[in-house]
Amino acid sequence: MAGRKETILEITENRKLSSTIDNDVIKKPVADYYGMNCFNDEAMRKFLPYNAYLKLKKIIKEGENIDGLLAEEVAHGMKEWAISKGASHYTHWFQPLTGLTAEKHDSFLSFSKDGLPINRFSGKNLSQGEPDASSFPSGGLRATFEARGYTAWDPTSPAFLVETSNGATLCIPSVFLSYTGEALDKKTPLLRSMEKLNDVALRMLHLFGNKNVTEVNSTVGPEQEYFLIDKLYFNQRPDLMLTGRTLFGAKPPKGQEMEDHYFGSIRERVLIFMQDVEARLFKLGIPIKTRHNEVAPAQFEIAAIFEGSNVATDHNQLIMETLRKVANRHNLALLLHEKPFAGINGSGKHNNWSLSDSEGSNLLEPGRTPHDNLQFLTFLMATIKAVYKYSDLLRAAIASAGNDHRLGANEAPPAIISVFLGEQLSKILDNLEGNKKTDYSDKDLIDLGISNLPLISKDNTDRNRTSPFAFTGNKFEFRAVGSADSVSPANFIINTIVCSELDDFANKISSNLKKGMDLNKAVLEVIIPVIKETKPIRFEGNNYDPAWEKEAEKRGLPNKKTTPESLKDYLAPKNIEVFTKTKILNEREIEARYQILLEKYSKTINIEAETALSMARTMILPVAIKYQSILSDAVGSLSKVKGADPKVVAHQVKSMNSYSGLVVDLDKKISTLAVKLKKAVDIKDEVKKADAYCKDVLPATFALREVADSIELQTDDSLWVLPKYQEMLFIY
Ligand code: ADP
Ligand code: MG
């Protein structure tokens, strides 16, 4: 393999800027081709019998089962559409608990009774699939000897085509279930949570007299951060290839302190890459809006316009996959890991969340009248109460080995979940809380500031970038989701807990109404105590300030710094209760998820430790020994020179000893890590095992890294094998 110098030369001299956008869309107005690779309304209308089209639309909107005849008609139309665009195969596209997406392709090829080849795609092929899925993790839900799990079509997320230069594959978004109907994936609980939240939110809106509303949807707009480096570096770094992050690498003299990257002008190579990515996503009907440079060097962001949570989640998976595929075509490597480089910012995903109704209203948008704003405050307080009561669960929703490096590292919110509301809204809540009146005419509401809400401008509210759960004018922004993770867990958990609190609010409000209270009073009697109760979760200050940790502890807010510690909260009785009561997960499903996430954590740290050991032994220690022998040869020959100044010789011996000391230390740290790793590997109990990886193995990898990085800074650059930070981050 080429050395570092050749790599840099290759990148700077020979990388050609070349577009890979398909000819059919290059330089066309986006609106002309937007959604052409997705079975959207236009395609449905064209390829389905009119009645089938109407029935399908109704089912997508209102739920209900798809009968055999309709499935047959839709399958036929979908196939004709796909074939007209060059598809030969189809696949159920689903999201197993590993966090990636899965697919198994089948061709449309079939044979007629008289043996003639035909393109066939039946209603059954569309509705249900049976991947040979015994190797997907199920956390014990489906013993591997047992029958396989099955995938089932999710008609609420549009089917789409994945293209290569050789043709296309029809992808059918699907859930993945065990034969006993238990969720083996990330989509199922999200769909369940949307349905339950819809029921409860509708009930609430009806209490407020909004009888026309027929549906409430949770909406999500994720902002996706990522790094790009040249593929040649990536291929020379086993740590990046196997773990997604650098396990070694000294901090470069320049990192992000000049703040010259954020929103800076985008390099042409990257811009061409982004345009390629976007063209493909537009074809898939994914509403990409924003692109920019992020804070760290070589870090970028892509954001889509918000959609219903299920579709937004599928689209975020497709965005990540497309980024990866297109990067490869551009000789770039995509790094989605939460912390690919130590010492500079990592990547996350800002998960913007709100609720919208069938009338097009955003339920977290303040209104124009006291009545509207009372409704707004009800949804707001139910959300705040949910976050307060289940902040441990929200923390668990985003727990991963990767995200542990990022949370609380002065670049991302800490592991303490708190809510930021902004000055105006805080003031209104304070007014309500301090209010002594027991009567609530519309005039009183106006006096309490409730009519001022429409004046809240987004600029006023979005200033606190350090808050993990910030109200930003008409939505909440959950800023702690990891960049590599699916947004599904965060969202099905937000939906679940908000659903549970809204349900409680609705029960209390209707019982107040039954007692004869008017609506204002019935509502305020419920929400004012919640304003008082949830005060500890509200925090307007700097979340990165160490003082906040102490303050949060006083307030009794949980602060689970590591994944194994946080994951345990899935099993807390109140958390099991909220899932089972809302029927979003049953006890076995929760337990299974906990097991899978815990095992995933241990496996991740195990791979990191094995990789660190192998790199230290084969790529760092040998270089260090080589340089040590160069040093000692130099000192040896110097001391043999007649008339050499003994002081100079002594000085050089000292330097050499200091370097050799590092080499010895490196060797020791390698042994320590090996011993700790062996111990963790041998532990049978999964909980204890994860703890050992967290508390013993991980710190040992850090200790090893520290010595290796010191050695890097003192070793002849021409001997160093691994691409260095300053090269990966700045030369591309
Ligand atoms: P920023 O947070 O960078 O200031 P915006 O607030 O305009 O940018 O939007 C960020 C993201 O929030 C976008 O993906 C946008 O689509 C999404 N968003 C806006 N409104 C909503 C909503 N009602 N529900 C969910 N996401 C939303
Ligand atoms: Mg934002």
Side-chain angles (χ1 to χ4, degrees):
M1 191 184 286
R4 276 174 46 235
K5 291 286 170 285
E6 290 83 45
T7 299
I8 294 169
L9 214 62
E10 176 68 21
I11 294 168
T12 49
E13 305 291 318
N14 293 333
R15 285 284 183 240
K16 290 190 189 60
L17 297 177
S18 62
S19 159
T20 65
I21 299 185
D22 302 323
N23 286 330
D24 54 350
V25 300
I26 191 160
K27 292 182 184 163
K28 278 201 185 151
V30 173
D32 290 6
Y33 68 89
Y34 183 79
M36 66 178 272
N37 280 350
C38 122
F39 196 59
N40 56 13
D41 200 67
E42 192 189 324
M44 281 185 213
R45 225 185 288 222
K46 195 161 154 199
F47 285 89
L48 297 183
Y50 188 61
N51 274 332
Y53 163 77
L54 289 181
K55 262 204 234 163
L56 181 62
K57 289 289 282 184
K58 188 162 178 291
I59 287 173
I60 291 173
K61 208 161 174 297
E62 294 167 16
E64 273 183 76
N65 287 333
I66 291 185
D67 61 58
L69 177 64
L70 181 61
E72 202 59 52
E73 285 176 320
V74 175
H76 178 77
M78 222 184 244
K79 177 203 72 189
E80 290 301 309
W81 169 75
I83 285 177
S84 76
K85 295 186 165 282
S88 57
H89 286 64
Y90 70 92
T91 179
H92 279 210
W93 181 82
F94 60 103
Q95 296 159 34
L97 292 169
T98 46
L100 305 168
T101 56
E103 48 193 75
K104 174 195 162 213
H105 302 188
D106 280 296
S107 76
F108 292 125
L109 176 68
S110 191
F111 290 93
S112 71
K113 283 205 188 79
D114 15 333
L116 294 175
I118 49 170
N119 292 311
R120 172 92 175 107
F121 184 50
S122 70
K124 190 164 175 300
N125 293 151
L126 167 64
S127 307
Q128 194 165 319
E130 289 186 51
D132 186 3
S134 47
S135 318
F136 288 109
S138 72
L141 277 183
R142 172 178 41 72
T144 23
F145 58 83
E146 209 179 277
R148 303 169 273 196
Y150 70 95
T151 53
W153 173 37
D154 164 22
T156 62
S157 181
F160 57 91
L161 290 173
V162 169
E163 284 178 302
T164 70
S165 45
N166 282 340
T169 305
L170 170 66
C171 297
I172 300 151
S174 301
V175 292
F176 180 37
L177 302 166
S178 76
Y179 271 99
T180 47
E182 275 155 333
L184 297 172
D185 69 346
K186 299 205 167 155
K187 188 190 260 287
T188 307
L190 183 60
L191 288 172
R192 288 179 189 157
S193 76
M194 290 172 72
E195 196 182 322
K196 300 290 172 195
L197 186 55
N198 172 53
D199 294 346
V200 175
L202 270 183
R203 186 153 79 90
M204 182 64 91
L205 289 178
H206 292 171
L207 287 177
F208 275 89
N210 288 330
K211 304 275 193 230
N212 291 336
V213 176
T214 54
E215 196 196 346
V216 174
N217 237 315
S218 54
T219 52
V220 170
E223 302 164 50
Q224 175 74 47
E225 294 177 340
Y226 61 93
F227 280 84
L228 287 173
I229 61 167
D230 196 277
K231 202 156 74 180
L232 280 178
Y233 299 129
F234 182 82
N235 291 342
Q236 292 173 61
R237 300 259 344 189
D239 45 3
L240 285 177
M241 284 198 288
L242 300 176
T243 74
R245 74 180 178 97
T246 52
L247 300 170
F248 300 99
K251 194 176 173 310
K254 179 179 188 247
Q256 63 191 45
E257 53 280 274
M258 302 297 277
E259 299 178 339
D260 51 0
H261 194 252
Y262 190 57
F263 281 12
S265 83
I266 303 171
R267 281 193 205 188
E268 193 173 1
R269 183 177 183 195
V270 173
L271 187 55
I272 293 176
F273 157 82
M274 289 173 167
Q275 289 165 323
D276 273 6
V277 168
E278 288 160 0
R280 283 163 167 255
L281 295 174
F282 289 143
K283 282 173 125 183
L284 289 168
I286 300 177
I288 297 303
K289 189 73 178 170
T290 313
R291 56 162 100 115
H292 62 80
N293 284 1
E294 258 300 330
V295 172
Q299 190 188 26
F300 310 93
E301 179 179 304
I302 180 169
I305 296 172
F306 70 95
E307 302 177 276
S309 359
N310 178 38
V311 174
T313 302
D314 285 359
H315 283 174
N316 183 249
Q317 294 294 132
L318 283 173
I319 289 171
M320 292 193 283
E321 285 180 18
T322 306
L323 285 169
R324 187 176 306 288
K325 277 187 201 159
V326 176
N328 200 36
R329 288 174 158 228
H330 286 256
N331 289 314
L332 291 164
L334 174 79
L335 308 179
L336 279 181
H337 194 281
E338 286 76 13
K339 195 76 177 177
F341 301 98
I344 60 170
N345 273 17
S347 300
K349 211 154 0 199
H350 288 178
N351 186 88
N352 295 276
W353 177 92
S354 189
L355 293 169
S356 77
D357 72 18
S358 50
E359 306 279 280
S361 305
N362 178 345
L363 302 180
L364 288 175
E365 174 115 37
R368 292 188 198 295
T369 64
H371 176 86
D372 286 349
N373 282 333
L374 201 59
Q375 182 187 303
F376 159 75
L377 284 175
T378 306
F379 282 92
L380 181 86
M381 287 321 299
T383 309
I384 295 175
K385 174 79 187 282
V387 176
Y388 178 50
K389 194 162 159 193
Y390 301 103
S391 71
D392 54 347
L393 205 46
L394 278 176
R395 162 67 180 99
I398 50 124
S400 69
N403 221 8
D404 281 356
H405 295 288
R406 195 180 143 256
L407 298 177
N410 245 324
E411 56 178 281
I416 309 160
I417 305 289
S418 66
V419 176
F420 170 84
L421 289 179
E423 206 179 306
Q424 263 172 297
L425 204 47
S426 298
K427 200 159 159 218
I428 287 164
L429 295 190
D430 292 344
N431 286 349
L432 279 169
E433 189 195 342
N435 172 47
K436 296 279 175 302
K437 290 188 186 161
T438 51
D439 199 24
Y440 302 100
S441 69
D442 281 4
K443 172 76 177 55
D444 297 315
L445 295 188
I446 290 167
D447 290 347
L448 286 165
I450 288 188
S451 63
N452 290 333
L453 284 172
L455 297 177
I456 296 179
S457 69
K458 285 193 190 171
D459 284 352
N460 254 335
T461 57
D462 199 18
R463 286 292 164 243
N464 192 335
R465 308 295 289 178
T466 69
S467 171
F469 207 88
F471 184 70
T472 55
N474 59 3
K475 60 185 188 289
F476 277 100
E477 188 166 336
F478 186 27
R479 298 197 176 114
V481 184
S483 48
D485 260 348
S486 160
V487 292
S488 165
N491 288 295
F492 87 71
I493 288 178
I494 296 175
N495 288 350
T496 303
I497 61 182
V498 170
C499 171
S500 165
E501 291 313 309
L502 266 183
D503 190 45
D504 184 47
F505 278 31
N507 288 341
K508 289 178 176 155
I509 293 172
S510 35
S511 120
N512 283 351
L513 289 171
K514 277 189 197 122
K515 284 183 211 150
M517 290 182 201
D518 70 12
L519 185 68
N520 287 352
K521 191 168 161 79
V523 171
L524 285 169
E525 296 263 308
V526 175
I527 67 176
I528 291 176
V530 177
I531 296 175
K532 289 199 177 92
E533 182 194 349
T534 58
K535 261 191 133 165
I537 198 80
R538 277 163 53 197
F539 182 60
E540 303 285 301
N542 179 4
N543 284 256
Y544 300 173
D545 186 344
W548 168 231
E549 234 185 292
K550 291 207 185 84
E551 164 70 15
E553 197 184 336
K554 266 194 231 147
R555 295 188 186 189
L557 300 178
N559 182 7
K560 305 283 165 74
K561 292 202 169 142
T562 67
T563 291
E565 212 187 334
S566 167
L567 289 178
K568 289 183 184 132
D569 289 330
Y570 271 110
L571 304 182
K574 76 168 172 50
N575 295 338
I576 291 181
E577 196 203 325
V578 77
F579 283 128
T580 52
K581 184 181 72 180
T582 50
K583 298 205 166 56
I584 285 154
L585 291 176
N586 68 27
E587 251 178 273
R588 274 159 47 89
E589 288 171 323
I590 303 167
E591 173 73 34
R593 258 152 235 266
Y594 170 64
Q595 288 300 340
I596 288 168
L597 290 167
L598 203 63
E599 279 172 38
K600 188 176 168 194
Y601 177 85
S602 296
K603 284 178 189 163
T604 304
I605 309 292
N606 182 31
I607 295 170
E608 288 183 353
E610 298 258 14
T611 309
L613 278 177
S614 125
M615 287 173 74
R617 284 173 178 148
T618 65
M619 302 175 95
I620 297 172
L621 189 60
V623 172
I625 289 172
K626 207 185 282 174
Y627 187 54
Q628 178 183 255
S629 87
I630 292 175
L631 288 180
S632 61
D633 285 355
V635 180
S637 44
L638 181 70
S639 62
K640 284 192 201 110
V641 174
K642 251 199 191 145
D645 184 342
K647 272 193 213 142
V648 171
V649 174
H651 185 84
Q652 300 232 347
V653 169
K654 207 172 144 203
S655 306
M656 187 200 72
N657 281 340
S658 141
Y659 188 85
S660 309
L662 287 174
V663 178
V664 172
D665 203 15
L666 185 73
D667 206 33
K668 281 188 189 154
K669 294 289 189 313
I670 290 174
S671 308
T672 313
L673 175 57
V675 169
K676 295 201 163 162
L677 180 60
K678 169 94 180 51
K679 268 193 194 149
V681 168
D682 288 343
I683 298 174
K684 291 279 169 307
D685 178 88
E686 286 295 340
V687 178
K688 290 193 183 123
K689 195 188 199 70
D691 280 342
Y693 275 111
C694 180
K695 295 196 181 117
D696 301 328
V697 178
L698 192 59
T701 64
F702 289 147
L704 172 60
R705 176 191 186 133
E706 208 182 311
V707 189
D709 291 356
S710 306
I711 290 177
E712 178 188 328
L713 291 173
Q714 294 178 46
T715 301
D716 178 352
D717 182 67
S718 67
L719 296 177
W720 201 254
V721 183
L722 291 168
K724 294 186 171 181
Y725 268 33
Q726 61 246 42
E727 295 153 8
M728 293 188 281
L729 290 168
F730 294 102
I731 304 174
Y732 58 90

